[in-house]
Amino acid sequence: MTDDVAYPPFKLGKARYDQTTFSGRLRHYMDIIDPRMLFVTESRLKESRKLLDDFKHGSLPPGVSDKQVQYGRQGRNAIIHPDTQEKIFMPFRMSGYVPFGTPIVVGLLLPSQTLASTVFWQWLNQSHNACVNYANKNATKPTPVSKFFQGYLGAVTSAVSIAVGLNLLIQKAKFSPATLGLIQRFVPFPAVASANICNVVLMRHNELTEGISVLDSSGNVVGSSRVAAKHALMETAVTRVVLPMPILVLPPIIMSFLEKLPLLQSRRRLVLPVHSLVCLATFGLALPLAISLFPQMSEIEVSELEPELAALTNDKTVIYNKGL
């Protein structure tokens, strides 16, 4: 494949891959979550921003290729928030979600959890999720810090309550020890999925009353739309339910087979490292698939917007940042 095919002509404000298709979004988000982007230096970030500014003003130095500009945008997009244009704290960037989140997933799926360990891992997971949600939220409207804590407390409470409640119900049931241990491994999914929805709704419900900014084809703000906000929250909530499904369901199934292998039967110390690798693999595959369900900059028909807002533009569609 030549560079001309791999790197089409660069267009400012347009993604490298077609965002109207799932495959295009998947390739787009693979760039965003690339863990290598965690190691982008401050000097490279400055070079990337200067390169993009030069392109915007038509003053690119001679010999700069589309590949170089695309690569510069990848580095910037992995670090800079699209609304605030400020750097996202490294552990909460999407490129750091898998590396920083995998140890938590391993902890959530550890067998024979005690009450204390269940509470700890659910709390840690929701703390991480809340920070990632907040760092990557739609920031076209200011959000009070109190909303962040409201969403955080709601998510932690729901996750811990569901996880502890299900564990208590399972323990009261008359299952064999082997069956009980297997069933308990699936408890984290309903707890995490429910808490993820709670987290997103509580942290961003103000968008439903205040609306989020919608942009025309030229990138100009048309106004704030509550209809677009509803779409953004629904898309984000669906993503947050789909994301933990393979991460928290597949590893228990895979490990139930692997743990029966003679190698792991005779060398029990290998169980945790193997478990960690399985979690890392499923997390790395599930994240880009889940966040590719909807484009980050989504489109909505102007006819669906509030009448007073639709009257302000001649475009047939407008775009909004749904957040991650």
Side-chain angles (χ1 to χ4, degrees), residues 59-255:
S59 56
L60 271 180
V64 174
S65 65
D66 287 313
K67 178 179 180 178
Q68 289 174 286
V69 184
Q70 295 278 15
Y71 191 56
R73 179 167 63 180
Q74 180 187 0
R76 185 203 63 179
N77 288 353
I79 298 172
I80 303 299
H81 192 285
D83 294 333
T84 66
Q85 296 303 308
E86 295 178 355
K87 288 200 296 184
I88 300 171
F89 185 46
M90 188 174 70
F92 308 141
R93 296 173 191 165
M94 293 310 296
S95 56
Y97 200 39
V98 172
F100 288 99
T102 297
I104 299 174
V105 172
V106 173
L108 284 170
L109 296 175
L110 288 174
S112 305
Q113 296 268 12
T114 64
L115 176 62
S117 65
T118 298
V119 172
F120 171 76
W121 288 113
Q122 289 291 345
W123 164 78
L124 187 61
N125 181 54
Q126 290 309 319
S127 297
H128 182 243
N129 283 344
C131 291
V132 172
N133 284 347
Y134 188 77
N136 295 280
K137 73 183 190 309
N138 183 308
T140 56
K141 292 287 183 179
T143 303
V145 177
S146 60
K147 296 291 184 183
F148 169 75
F149 284 107
Q150 184 182 4
Y152 170 64
L153 291 174
V156 170
T157 301
S158 60
V160 170
S161 300
I162 293 171
V164 171
L166 286 176
N167 271 319
L168 291 175
L169 286 174
I170 292 169
Q171 287 171 4
K172 289 181 179 179
K174 296 180 180 179
F175 293 116
S176 66
T179 303
L180 179 64
L182 180 61
I183 293 175
Q184 283 181 318
R185 288 189 173 190
F186 292 97
V187 167
F189 171 65
V192 170
S194 301
N196 283 354
I197 295 176
C198 182
N199 187 300
V200 171
V201 172
L202 287 176
M203 284 183 64
R204 296 177 56 182
H205 72 87
N206 62 304
E207 295 176 11
L208 294 175
T209 55
E210 299 177 7
I212 59 174
S213 295
V214 292
L215 314 175
D216 61 20
S217 56
S218 301
N220 300 312
V221 177
V222 177
S224 295
S225 170
R226 293 184 298 276
V227 175
K230 183 178 179 181
H231 281 252
L233 260 68
M234 285 295 294
E235 291 168 358
T236 305
V238 169
T239 300
R240 293 291 175 177
V241 171
V242 172
L243 175 59
M245 192 180 298
I247 298 171
L248 298 177
V249 173
L250 288 180
I253 296 174
I254 294 171
M255 288 305 298

Side-chain angles (χ1 to χ4, degrees), residues 8-65:
F10 180 83
K11 294 181 180 179
L12 197 65
K14 295 290 185 181
R16 174 182 168 191
Y17 304 109
D18 184 4
Q19 296 299 286
T20 62
T21 66
F22 178 79
S23 61
R25 293 193 295 272
L26 180 61
R27 297 175 75 185
H28 170 73
Y29 282 117
M30 288 293 285
D31 280 349
I32 290 179
I33 69 167
D34 186 344
R36 293 175 299 176
M37 293 298 104
L38 291 173
F39 303 101
V40 171
T41 62
E42 187 66 30
S43 60
R44 187 199 148 186
L45 178 61
K46 287 181 180 178
E47 290 172 4
S48 298
R49 299 183 84 164
K50 184 179 185 304
L51 202 60
L52 293 168
D53 284 340
D54 288 345
F55 181 90
K56 182 178 181 179
H57 296 102
S59 56
L60 271 180
V64 174
S65 65

